[in-house]
Structure formats: C-alpha cells, structure tokens
Amino acid sequence: MKKLLLLFALVIFSTFSFALKVGLSISTLNNPFFVDLANGARDKAKELGVELIIVDARDDSAKQLNDVEDLISQKVNIILINPTDSDAVVAAIEEANNANIPVITVDRGASGGKVLLHIASDNVAGGRMAGAFIAEQIGAKGKVIELVGIPGTSSARDRGKGFNDEIAKYPNIKVVARQTANYNRAEGLVVMENLLQAHPDVNAVFAHNDEMALGALEAIKAAGKIDDIIVVGFDATPDALESVKRGELAATIAQQPYLMGSLAVEKAVEYLQTGTIYFPVELQLVNQ
Amino acid sequence: MLKKILDFMRKNPALVGFIGLFIILSIFTDSFFNMNNIINVFRQASTIAILGFGMTLVIISGGIDLSVGSTFALSAVVMASIVKGGNVLLGICVGLLIGAVMGTFNGIVISKGKIQPFIVTLATMAIGRSLTLAYTKGIPISLFPNNFRFLGRGDVLGIPVPVLIMLGMFFLSLYILKKTKLGLYIYSIGGNEEATRLSGVNVNRYKVVIYMLSGLFSAVSAIILTARLNSAQPTFGQGYELDAIATVVLGGASLAGGKGGVLGTLFGALLLGTINNGMNLMNISPFYQDLVKGIIILLAVFLEHQD
C-alpha cells in the first residue's frame, strides 16, 4: 500500500514537474481571427499534453510587454508571441532572450531580438492579392474605395500597403476614398452609406477585414447596387465565407489562423523535445 | 483597537486589497513571490500610477480629465521623433511641454468657458488622438539611443528607473497636496468651489494649474513607457484614462471632490498591477479577467462606503 502511494506520488510529481509550459501572448482576443489562432494552439497543446498559458494584450503593446514579463516570471519553457506591433514587440523578445527562453513569433513578425522561428501569413502579400483580384475583376480600370482598419495597427498598415502598392500598377484605377471603419461591421455600414453618397459610381471596395466588408455590403445592398460593386474582405471568417458562397461578397483573403496557432505549438514542443525543428519546405510560410 | 483597525481598513481599501492579494498570490502561485516578479509588478504599475497621481489632483479638485491617454500618446510620439533624431534631452523637454500645453488648454477652456470638465476633456481626448495619428500617419516611431532607453529599462542599485520616477512623482504630488497653497486650494475648490471663490481665491487660475499638472504627469508617464517599449505607438494610452480614474477611486478619493490623497492612488495602481499580473500567473482565461477586475474594484469601493 505504501509502495503504491509512493508510486502514485511519483507519477503526480513527474507529471507536474516534467509537463512542458508553453506561453502564448496574443495581440487581441477581441477578434474572431485571433480567437481562432488561440483555439488552434489550445487544441494542439491538449493533444500533445503540454500546458498552454494564454495572455491577451488587447492590442496594447505595453500590456503585451507586461504579459511577456509575467510569462517569464512563470518560467515557461518557450514563448509564442503574436505581436501587436513588429517594432514594439522587440523589447519583450529581448527580455525573453535575456532569460534564455526561446521565442516563436506567430502571424506578425518582429523587427529585432532573437526569434527561433516565424510562423506567418503575410498581410502585405494578402493586401497585394486583394488588389490584383479587384484589378482583374473590374478590367484594370475604375474607381475603388478602401475601408481602412483601426488606424495605427500593423494589420491595417500592412494590408493597406500591399493593396495600394498593387493598385499603383494600374494607372486607370483610382482609389477615390480611403476611410476607416475601425474593423467594425456597424461602422462599415455607416461609412459605406456615406461614401456611396459621394461616389455612387464606385466599382469596387476593399475592406481590411471581413467585418467591415460585410457592413459595407449591407449598405451596397440597401442602395440596390449589389450587381455594380464588388466587395473584397480579409480573414475568411465563417460569416464571410457564407456570404461568398451566396455570391454576395466577391472574395475574402483567407489566412489560416487555426492552423497557425496549432503549428506554432507543435513546432514549439518539437523544439523543446529535440532541440531542432523539422520543416518540410512548403510549410515554412503559412500563406493565404 | 479592533474598531480602529477596521476603520483604517475601510479608509484604505486599495492598501488592504493590495496586501490581501499579495498574500493570496504568494501562497497560491509558485511564481508570484520572487524578487523578479515583484519588480515586474512595480515597474508595470509605474505608468498608470503616474497618470493616477495627476488624476488625483484633478479629482480632489472636483474635476475629471479624460484626455490623459491621448495627451500621453501625443507627447510620446512627438518626443519619440525628436529622440530618434539623436537629441534625447530636447525630445524629453518637448514631450513635457506638449503635456503641459494640452493640460493648460483643458484648464483654460474649463475655467474661462465654464464648461464641465467631463465634456471638455472628452473633446480634447478626441483631438489629441487625432493629432497623434496625423503626426505619425499611423506608423509607430521606434528604436532609440541607449541613454534614452535607460529611462525605461535601466536600474539604479537594483531599483528600476521607472519605479524611481514613479516614487519621485509620488513625492512631488504629495508635496503639492500637503505643503503648498495650491494643495490647500485643490481640496478647498473640490469641497466647495463657490465658497473658495468668495473667500478671494482666484479659482480659475488654480484650475488651469491643476489641469496643466495632469497633462505634465501624462507626459512623464509617456517618457517611461516609450523608453521601456523602445517604441512610441499611435495607439498608445487608449483606455488609460479609465485605469487612472480607477486607481484614484480605489485609493479612496471621491469623484465628488474634496477628499483623497496620492498614497491611496499609489496603492490603487499597485493593486491594479497586481490583479493583472496575478491573473496572468494564475492562467485565468482572458475572457474572465475584466470580470475579476470589476468585482475587485466594486468590493474595494463598497468596503470604503460602509459606515
């Protein structure tokens, strides 16, 4: 009996002390995209039997730095960071570096610090893809509206940059309005209603995320212009995919947040257990 | 004796909450009670604490300042652009100047225009945010010289510079409240503005000074965070006005004005910092974190108001 107890205690002790602790600092859980990413990470952690600690920076770089410091305090074995901003995250990564905790970045990259691995879908490339699609659909000429995400966020910056770089290649396409709807569906509706007053002859709308795209789509439907204006979103949320299937939303740029989260945890554990990371070449960049 | 202790606890909900949470976290997590983590908590609390000190002055005087987060952001980005060019001292001075100017503007409109502080600072909050976005075109300004970064990441004798600056600002605001004529009038304006005016005090002038100080404190806080993060973000400081107000209220000040102090605010900021740190350490789902935070704030304020 005593032996059995001892064995039992040993088993408990070993599961506690040997379980790997993985920290995930996520930019915001106030957005289905990142919730998906977190879910992917959580499910994979469960599957692999590692402890996953998720902290939410709420799109605040300062909170993200605090969160990462807290993860370091908890002595996690590895930290996955989905940066709120590529520059501001460097301070956090350097602190992890100093504590000898390896760092993997997810979705957005970091502009400094020692990063083991970057698992990403490229927002600039996504914006470019949207631009190319719209140009093709409207025959390389016409008027386009860009609905900007929350000003100052890196996703809005990158998607906008990719889109505008691409559109600049077509001299006959003009971006007639560039307004923010703060990644918000209700604001997308209102902003688009207003813009339709000023630009009734617009040919296409590119929205930095699906929420704004779906809001804009409602305004366009209400104005009876659903056949004249194409709307392209970003993120491929379930609502957006449904709308594409119905033939309303022209397209959405699909990233795979669930896969990104899952892959990040998988690679983190692989690194902790073997000291190396194996990557079949085609998986190095999780794109689209 | 017991009654005295209970009384003290009632009057200092933030201190009691801070110590209580400190003990609970020390017992129930293995990572809270170690020097590194406790330094983390203090360093993390410094940003909000300094905003809170400025807010304490405003709230005791019966006002409110919703623009601190935007002032923080504007002063951070302008300072950052100058510091990035290599001129650290000039950058800091301009940053502080912007804070003071924004605050002075608030004070003038509130006192001369006889408009409620809530409305005026709500407007300047929007103005400050917009100026920040326009100035940066939405792009963060990052990577500063090391002597500037020292203000955020360095330490003196093991105490982080942000904590030292926080203590400096604490003693400055304590001095203002306890030892100066301004401090006396802050309480008296908050207690009864009309009576203060009738007794011959130039209330308008003091109000301008109070809001100027609030803006200045925001700028000091902005220096720390910019240096700590090695980056000034156009989205800086969003929601900080509410955190700052929470620290003041947790600290025992009343939004009706006339009472309160910065020691309470200091513990209010430490309590908020400990809550955030503790919830991370205890791996509480982010979806429930605000629930916990809200309940603790309600509890603390409830305790204080039981007579």
Side-chain angles (χ1 to χ4, degrees):
Chain A
M1 185 63 197
K2 235 182 194 171
K3 248 186 192 164
L4 204 67
L5 266 178
L6 196 72
L7 196 71
F8 187 64
L10 206 68
V11 167
I12 287 188
F13 179 72
S14 60
T15 47
F16 268 116
S17 58
F18 294 131
L20 292 173
K21 262 203 225 175
V22 178
L24 168 61
S25 166
I26 203 151
S27 61
T28 176
L29 285 174
N30 193 8
N31 176 333
F33 179 84
F34 295 108
V35 173
D36 241 20
L37 200 157
N39 286 340
R42 191 180 287 129
D43 291 350
K44 180 57 84 176
K46 209 170 281 168
E47 182 194 319
L48 298 177
V50 297
E51 187 187 347
L52 181 71
I53 300 163
I54 300 178
V55 284
D56 173 10
R58 300 170 187 207
D59 266 332
D60 178 347
S61 302
K63 183 165 190 314
Q64 182 151 52
L65 177 58
N66 292 347
D67 286 347
V68 171
E69 285 173 356
D70 292 346
L71 289 173
I72 295 170
S73 283
Q74 281 170 282
K75 301 201 168 56
V76 295
N77 300 93
I78 192 163
I79 298 179
L80 313 177
I81 304 182
N82 159 230
T84 57
D85 179 88
S86 301
D87 288 335
V89 79
V90 175
I93 292 176
E94 284 172 353
E95 289 204 19
N97 291 159
N98 289 340
N100 286 321
I101 299 175
V103 173
I104 291 177
T105 48
V106 190
D107 185 38
R108 288 177 201 135
S111 34
K114 227 171 65 201
V115 175
L116 185 66
L117 177 71
H118 177 50
I119 294 173
S121 62
D122 184 341
N123 275 317
V124 179
R128 210 174 287 136
M129 193 180 287
F133 175 80
I134 285 177
E136 187 202 313
Q137 293 292 307
I138 62 176
K141 79 188 232 303
K143 295 180 176 175
V144 181
I145 286 174
E146 181 183 3
L147 290 181
V148 179
I150 296 173
T153 55
S154 67
S155 54
R157 221 159 41 233
D158 292 349
R159 289 169 190 184
K161 180 179 169 12
F163 176 74
N164 286 298
D165 284 357
E166 186 66 28
I167 288 295
K169 294 180 191 163
Y170 303 89
N172 293 326
I173 297 182
K174 205 169 157 238
V175 181
V176 290
R178 196 169 278 132
Q179 286 295 324
T180 182
N182 292 311
Y183 284 140
N184 180 304
R185 196 183 295 202
E187 286 187 47
L189 169 69
V190 174
V191 171
M192 194 64 210
E193 280 171 352
N194 297 342
L195 289 177
L196 278 175
Q197 296 298 319
H199 309 283
D201 55 344
V202 67
N203 306 100
V205 176
F206 169 54
H208 287 184
N209 80 344
D210 284 337
E211 289 297 303
M212 296 191 294
L214 292 169
L217 195 66
E218 290 308 316
I220 291 167
K221 273 199 273 185
K225 293 186 186 252
I226 182 91
D227 296 327
D228 312 328
I229 304 175
I230 64 164
V231 181
V232 175
F234 208 115
D235 286 345
T237 60
D239 274 8
L241 291 175
E242 193 59 39
S243 176
V244 170
K245 218 180 277 171
R246 278 200 307 269
E248 295 182 345
L249 202 61
T252 173
I253 308 299
Q255 304 187 81
Q256 299 187 55
Y258 185 89
L259 188 62
M260 273 193 265
S262 166
L263 199 59
V265 170
E266 189 182 321
K267 293 296 152 189
V269 173
E270 193 176 292
Y271 176 76
L272 291 174
Q273 285 170 345
T274 65
T276 42
I277 291 179
Y278 304 101
F279 251 109
V281 172
E282 71 273 16
L283 273 180
Q284 204 149 22
L285 192 76
V286 182
N287 206 341
Q288 307 176 23
Chain B
M1 183 64 197
L2 188 69
K3 196 178 168 300
K4 260 191 186 160
I5 295 175
L6 282 175
D7 248 24
F8 177 81
M9 285 174 67
R10 244 179 248 137
K11 278 188 188 130
N12 299 278
L15 176 63
V16 174
F18 173 60
I19 294 174
L21 202 60
F22 194 96
I23 294 171
I24 291 172
L25 288 170
S26 301
I27 296 172
F28 290 103
T29 73
D30 21 335
S31 32
F32 180 78
F33 193 77
N34 79 51
M35 211 48 210
N36 260 336
N37 188 56
I38 290 166
I39 287 177
N40 276 349
V41 171
F42 276 78
R43 195 174 39 209
Q44 292 172 7
S46 61
T47 310
I48 293 300
I50 293 171
L51 287 174
F53 299 149
M55 189 69 83
T56 309
L57 306 182
V58 174
I59 284 180
I60 293 175
S61 80
I64 194 113
D65 188 350
L66 299 179
S67 70
V68 291
S70 295
T71 301
F72 180 100
L74 183 61
S75 130
V77 294
V78 177
M79 169 177 58
S81 62
I82 299 172
V83 168
K84 200 174 162 60
N87 207 330
V88 174
L89 201 63
L90 180 72
I92 291 174
C93 291
V94 171
L96 293 174
L97 185 72
I98 287 175
V101 167
M102 292 283 286
T104 306
F105 180 77
N106 278 333
I108 290 174
V109 178
I110 289 166
S111 57
K112 301 276 184 221
K114 302 204 182 341
I115 310 171
Q116 283 180 3
F118 185 92
I119 303 299
V120 172
T121 57
L122 188 68
T124 48
M125 170 169 100
I127 292 169
R129 179 63 55 194
S130 188
L131 289 177
T132 308
L133 285 168
Y135 184 78
T136 57
K137 300 189 173 61
I139 299 166
I141 300 161
S142 310
L143 307 177
F144 310 120
N146 278 331
N147 52 350
F148 180 70
R149 298 189 69 189
F150 179 79
L151 293 171
R153 301 189 71 184
D155 59 82
V156 178
L157 303 171
I159 305 171
V161 177
V163 177
L164 292 173
I165 298 177
M166 171 176 80
L167 291 176
M169 298 308 284
F170 167 71
F171 285 114
L172 175 68
S173 41
L174 191 68
Y175 177 80
I176 291 174
L177 280 176
K178 298 284 175 206
K179 299 281 178 203
T180 65
K181 210 159 64 172
L182 171 65
L184 186 70
Y185 292 146
I186 286 176
Y187 281 101
S188 120
I189 293 172
N192 189 335
E193 187 176 331
E194 204 43 43
T196 313
R197 195 188 314 273
L198 290 175
S199 62
V201 176
N202 188 342
V203 169
N204 282 354
R205 203 178 70 199
Y206 283 103
K207 273 194 176 174
V208 174
V209 177
I210 293 167
Y211 284 92
M212 183 205 76
L213 282 171
S214 175
L216 198 62
F217 276 51
S218 308
V220 172
S221 181
I223 294 172
I224 294 178
L225 191 61
T226 306
R228 204 154 94 76
L229 210 52
N230 200 14
S231 169
Q233 304 273 311
T235 52
F236 254 179
Q238 272 167 352
Y240 283 17
E241 61 284 341
L242 295 182
D243 278 346
I245 293 168
T247 63
V248 179
V249 173
L250 276 171
S254 151
L255 284 175
K259 75 183 197 73
V262 279
L263 186 64
T265 302
L266 177 62
F267 284 113
L270 288 173
L271 175 60
L272 277 189
T274 313
I275 294 173
N276 285 332
N277 174 268
M279 285 192 298
N280 281 350
L281 297 189
M282 291 174 85
N283 201 10
I284 292 176
S285 158
F287 295 130
Y288 292 101
Q289 294 202 355
D290 276 348
L291 183 74
V292 176
K293 207 160 140 181
I295 289 173
I296 291 181
I297 292 176
L298 275 182
L299 264 180
V301 178
F302 181 76
L303 267 179
E304 192 209 344
H305 288 278
Q306 296 308 297
D307 284 318

